[in-house]
Amino acid sequence: MQRGALLDAARSLLSEGGTEALTFPALAERTGLARSSVYEYFRSRAAVVEELCAVDFPVWAAEVEAAMAGAATSEGKVEAYVRKQLELVGDRRHRAVVAISVSELDDGAREKIRAAHGGLVTMIVEALGGLGQEQPRLGAMLLQGVVDAAVRRIELGAAEDPERITEAAVAMALRGVRG
């Protein structure tokens, strides 16, 4: 239960203040544990982020996959893939996934995260093949690049409304996969 409470506190801290807010004193304060107790569960901030990703990424990926499954066409699957990921940007589980890029993870942890992310990209390969993409794996990686750029734009609190960013990303993705 305490490990779960620590992870929940970490999600909140990441949502409120990004990776800078995720400190062991803050985790201890949020959970009512002694700071030394936090170290019994996690050896570093990176370990907290790694576990959050291990727990939250599969749930997040399942939501993207479910959205895609609800689409009847390959084009609809591409749209669902982009929209669902951008919809999840505001979800505090997503903050942990985004934190990976700025956190001090070791190479082993980064490799686990890359593999999980690769699974997300793999979801869209079949749909791209169905749209006639000659290199659907490459297309999937480039499509994810559009999503990642839109995520960063939303995360930065860009001047554009998140809905407008989403619509632009969907339009760009669909134009790109249609060729």
Side-chain angles (χ1 to χ4, degrees):
M1 278 186 7
Q2 287 180 332
R3 185 179 212 84
L6 285 165
L7 291 175
D8 198 43
R11 285 181 196 99
S12 293
L13 289 165
L14 287 166
S15 291
E16 295 163 12
T19 54
E20 298 79 30
L22 181 61
T23 65
F24 279 27
L27 283 171
E29 182 179 327
R30 288 280 171 109
T31 57
L33 296 172
R35 192 167 118 177
S36 60
S37 295
V38 177
Y39 283 99
E40 291 177 28
Y41 293 94
F42 300 104
R43 69 188 182 287
S44 65
R45 282 180 355 140
V48 176
V49 173
E50 182 181 349
E51 186 155 339
L52 278 173
C53 291
V55 169
D56 291 346
F57 193 88
V59 174
W60 187 51
E63 290 183 35
V64 173
E65 192 169 30
M68 290 174 60
T73 64
S74 294
E75 196 170 280
K77 289 182 187 310
V78 170
E79 181 173 350
Y81 178 84
V82 174
R83 281 189 190 284
K84 190 61 176 182
Q85 287 188 70
L86 297 179
E87 177 187 313
L88 291 170
V89 170
D91 187 311
R92 60 193 193 126
R93 291 169 300 163
H94 181 262
R95 293 280 188 184
V97 176
V98 170
I100 299 162
S101 62
V102 295
S103 191
E104 65 283 346
L105 298 180
D106 62 33
D107 290 339
R110 283 190 187 282
E111 191 50 45
K112 286 180 199 170
I113 302 307
R114 272 190 220 105
H117 203 260
L120 187 62
V121 169
T122 299
M123 286 182 204
I124 197 66
V125 171
E126 184 180 334
L128 293 177
L131 288 169
Q133 290 284 313
E134 290 180 25
Q135 296 180 20
R137 177 86 182 146
L138 174 60
M141 288 187 268
L142 295 173
L143 176 60
Q144 187 60 42
V146 169
V147 173
D148 292 343
V151 165
R152 282 190 301 277
R153 193 93 183 132
I154 292 169
E155 285 282 330
L156 288 172
E160 304 89 5
D161 178 63
E163 189 172 316
R164 187 167 252 190
I165 294 169
T166 297
E167 293 307 317
V170 167
M172 183 174 283
L174 291 175
R175 279 194 304 268
V177 298
R178 287 182 194 131

